[in-house]
Amino acid sequence: MSLGVDLIPYKTCSLNCVYCESGATTHLTTNLEAWYPTQEIIAEIDHYLSQKPTLDIITFSGAGEPTLHSGLGEIARHIKRKYPEYPLAVITNATTMAIAEVRESLLACNILLPSLDAATQKVFRKVNRPAPGIDIRDIIEGLKIFQKDFSGEMWLEVFLVKGINDTQDELTRLHEVIADIQPDRVQLNTLDRPGTEDWVRPMSENEMRAIADSWSDLPVEIIARFSLFIEQKDASVDLRDRIINLIRRRPCTSADLSASLQVAEKYLLPELKKLIQNSEIESEVLERGTFYKISGS
């Protein structure tokens, strides 16, 4: 049970990743600012935690990059000082790890969950589409420096995009830099919901396992949700609402919906037919297939 603390306005980020399930970045920036007033955030946290909720962890995350908030260190240290019973985690794209001030602010957390999807600038630009001035070499060096000083655990996520960062050369380079960083865990992930770009495709389970096997000298684990694929017809009673909620964000094919909702297409198609008959959604045939969208959108 995690309490999520979102410090950044929606889709304010230093990256515009092709696979992002929250959609495209609308404010691409590297600026460190108090995007929301630091003291107001602390007051809201105090108000909530004064009720002594049952929590396993407090997590800085959200649909943006939390380390872009200049008050992150102050907020984290406040939580650790006043509520030491709660472990503190930060989910970050690691683009600010080259900044000493940010590394210092993150020392207060118990678990750092950074991303590293590339080892070369060329692939970094293809997968993560960074704001101008961000160099993957600086990110890697920042992670190495931080890990030497960090007393908590680093769980490094590598998000694999089929056909881009899964080449043998890039995987070899990734393995080398990860071995230098020495994270406590290496978590391999791939797409399970439609990303920002329609052409993004997930790795297969066999492909992911082959990569994990080749990195067996690292503390690697696969966190992609292959085993959750639903085959039972009545496994989800809220399937209609789940379909609507997803395509309200962006048009999807039945394959997109299947990958995202973890429901076999043969069970999705009857629901899609009903929604079309009720004029709740409509379909449009495009080059990649039949896309479903909210009627009138």
Side-chain angles (χ1 to χ4, degrees), residues 235-267:
S236 177
V237 296
D238 62 342
L239 185 55
R240 173 198 168 279
D241 291 340
R242 295 169 66 201
I243 292 171
I244 291 289
N245 288 337
L246 186 56
I247 64 175
R248 184 174 285 122
R249 278 182 40 223
R250 58 195 303 274
C252 297
T253 65
S254 59
D256 293 335
L257 289 164
S258 177
S260 172
L261 301 177
Q262 301 292 292
V263 177
E265 283 188 73
K266 62 183 178 181
Y267 302 134

Side-chain angles (χ1 to χ4, degrees), residues 32-269:
L32 269 62
E33 299 181 19
W35 296 94
Y36 298 117
T38 299
Q39 294 307 314
E40 289 187 12
I41 295 171
I42 289 174
E44 187 171 345
I45 290 171
D46 283 342
H47 174 72
Y48 185 79
L49 294 183
S50 67
Q51 305 170 57
K52 300 188 182 303
T54 300
L55 294 175
D56 296 310
I57 197 165
I58 297 172
T59 307
F60 290 104
S61 59
E65 173 48 41
T67 65
L68 292 176
H69 196 291
S70 57
L72 172 61
E74 181 179 353
I75 298 166
R77 288 187 290 270
H78 173 83
I79 293 172
K80 294 308 296 180
R81 183 176 62 253
K82 194 169 181 180
Y83 311 100
E85 65 271 29
Y86 298 122
L88 188 61
V90 180
I91 299 175
T92 174
N93 63 24
T95 53
T96 58
M97 296 304 295
I99 303 172
E101 173 191 347
V102 173
R103 293 198 302 270
E104 178 68 25
S105 71
L106 291 171
L107 290 174
C109 72
N110 300 98
I111 305 173
L112 184 74
L113 298 98
S115 296
L116 185 68
D117 305 327
T120 61
Q121 189 70 6
K122 180 179 179 181
V123 174
F124 178 50
R125 286 176 177 155
K126 285 183 178 180
V127 175
N128 303 117
R129 300 187 298 193
I134 300 178
D135 193 307
I136 192 64
R137 292 169 297 184
D138 295 333
I139 294 173
I140 293 167
E141 188 61 27
L143 287 167
K144 289 165 62 176
I145 294 170
F146 179 80
Q147 182 66 340
K148 290 177 182 178
D149 299 329
F150 188 40
S151 61
E153 291 197 6
M154 179 189 290
W155 301 356
L156 184 71
E157 180 181 359
V158 180
F159 198 104
L160 294 166
V161 178
K162 192 173 182 64
I164 300 187
N165 60 349
D166 63 332
T167 65
Q168 190 55 56
D169 179 63
E170 192 67 20
L171 289 172
T172 298
R173 292 179 181 229
L174 264 171
H175 177 273
E176 291 172 355
V177 300
I178 292 171
D180 285 342
I181 294 168
Q182 298 183 346
D184 298 276
R185 299 187 189 184
V186 181
Q187 299 183 317
L188 301 184
N189 203 357
T190 195
L191 199 72
D192 70 345
R193 285 177 285 177
T196 299
E197 301 298 337
D198 292 336
W199 51 262
V200 176
R201 285 293 174 268
M203 304 285 288
S204 71
E205 183 174 3
N206 287 339
E207 289 168 332
M208 296 281 281
R209 294 197 182 282
I211 293 169
D213 289 343
S214 70
W215 288 7
S216 59
D217 58 317
L218 299 174
V220 65
E221 60 184 1
I222 296 173
I223 62 172
R225 299 186 297 176
F226 301 114
S227 62
L228 298 182
F229 199 89
I230 295 171
E231 289 291 346
Q232 292 78 23
K233 183 174 181 179
D234 58 350
S236 177
V237 296
D238 62 342
L239 185 55
R240 173 198 168 279
D241 291 340
R242 295 169 66 201
I243 292 171
I244 291 289
N245 288 337
L246 186 56
I247 64 175
R248 184 174 285 122
R249 278 182 40 223
R250 58 195 303 274
C252 297
T253 65
S254 59
D256 293 335
L257 289 164
S258 177
S260 172
L261 301 177
Q262 301 292 292
V263 177
E265 283 188 73
K266 62 183 178 181
Y267 302 134
L268 284 170
L269 293 174

Side-chain angles (χ1 to χ4, degrees), residues 266-284:
K266 62 183 178 181
Y267 302 134
L268 284 170
L269 293 174
E271 294 297 327
L272 291 169
K273 183 178 179 180
K274 291 178 187 175
L275 289 167
I276 289 175
Q277 290 174 341
N278 294 337
S279 300
E280 294 180 78
I281 67 171
E282 58 190 41
S283 62
E284 181 180 6

